[in-house]
Amino acid sequence: MNSSRLFKLLGLIAGIVLLNIAVLSPGLLGVDIVSGSALETASGVTLLVLSLLVVLYGSYILLFKPSPAKSIRKLETQVDYIAELHKYRNVKVLKKDVVLALDQLERIDKKKDTLLNVLSQRFEQTELSYQKFIAVIGSVEKLFYLNIKGILNKLSVFDAEEFSLFTDSHNPGQFSDKLVQQKRNLFNEYFAYVAGYLGANEEILLKLDQLLLEISLLDSTDYKSIEEMPCMREINDLIKQTKLYQQ
């Protein structure tokens, strides 16, 4: 349970307690459920029962009922992506890929910070060269998260129980060999897509490392323009190819 739900539950309990104190305390409304009139007794007992039901229902909602799934399209921050990936971390057949995706998210954040730090040391933020580098880094970061979103789209429709059903060697003869093979081929397609996205992101991380190296060599290499840097050309080509693919 996250801290937000805990505070909500504590607030609910505190509110119920204060309400009961206000109604049953002799110094306030003073409803007497022991020696009072039949109406007072009924009202007091009803209040206690309703209070218990509210606390129980509120506890269920806040402690046990899962939060509504956030649409993958609405993921915005790195924290959103990490939280979504963590939902699949305990699925045995997906764990290795999910752990790698989480590691990639951590690495791109570090590489981006390093690049921004190096750029701020070499250029003024108002310089055209600085702005070109920032634009390219921003574009490649969007491409990286687009790949993470692609992974999440595949994971969201992957049925781990069905996978186990059709890959469990202890269930011979339940299905035809043709059906089992078709199912396995379909599952392999899922894994291939995920592996493809992970591989693409590893390539992006490599290019950011290469870009960092080339920036560090700017003083000793004579490039007529930023666009002529080998890694910048490769990154720009990658971005263009992705835009064409999305059209």
Side-chain angles (χ1 to χ4, degrees), residues 70-78 80-82 84-85 88 101-102 104-105 108 140-158 190 193-194 196-198 200-201 204 246:
K70 192 168 187 177
S71 170
I72 293 175
R73 293 190 176 205
K74 295 182 179 179
L75 299 180
E76 297 177 355
T77 67
Q78 187 189 59
D80 291 336
Y81 285 91
I82 291 174
E84 199 67 24
L85 282 169
Y88 307 97
L102 289 168
Q104 289 179 338
L105 282 168
I108 195 172
V140 83
E141 184 183 25
K142 288 180 181 178
L143 177 56
F144 178 92
Y145 278 97
L146 185 64
N147 289 333
I148 294 291
K149 191 170 290 187
I151 292 173
L152 288 170
N153 277 321
K154 297 305 177 190
L155 297 183
S156 67
V157 295
F158 179 81
Y190 278 111
Y193 275 114
V194 172
Y197 286 124
L198 290 171
N201 276 353
I204 288 173
Q246 290 178 324

Side-chain angles (χ1 to χ4, degrees), residues 1-14 54-68:
M1 180 177 65
N2 58 38
S3 57
S4 175
R5 288 192 168 197
L6 177 60
F7 286 131
K8 288 179 180 178
L9 178 58
L10 293 176
L12 173 65
I13 294 173
V54 169
V55 170
L56 290 175
Y57 181 72
S59 298
Y60 163 73
I61 293 296
L62 295 172
L63 293 176
F64 302 107
K65 190 174 182 180
S67 301

Side-chain angles (χ1 to χ4, degrees), residues 100-111:
L100 178 55
L102 289 168
D103 178 66
Q104 289 179 338
L105 282 168
E106 183 178 350
R107 281 186 284 149
I108 195 172
D109 201 39
K110 291 180 179 178
K111 293 181 191 301

Side-chain angles (χ1 to χ4, degrees), residues 111 114-115 118 207-217 231:
K111 293 181 191 301
T114 302
L115 279 166
V118 171
K207 291 189 183 303
L208 290 178
D209 281 332
Q210 293 172 336
L211 180 61
L212 184 60
L213 176 60
E214 289 184 7
I215 293 173
S216 68
L217 296 174
C231 190

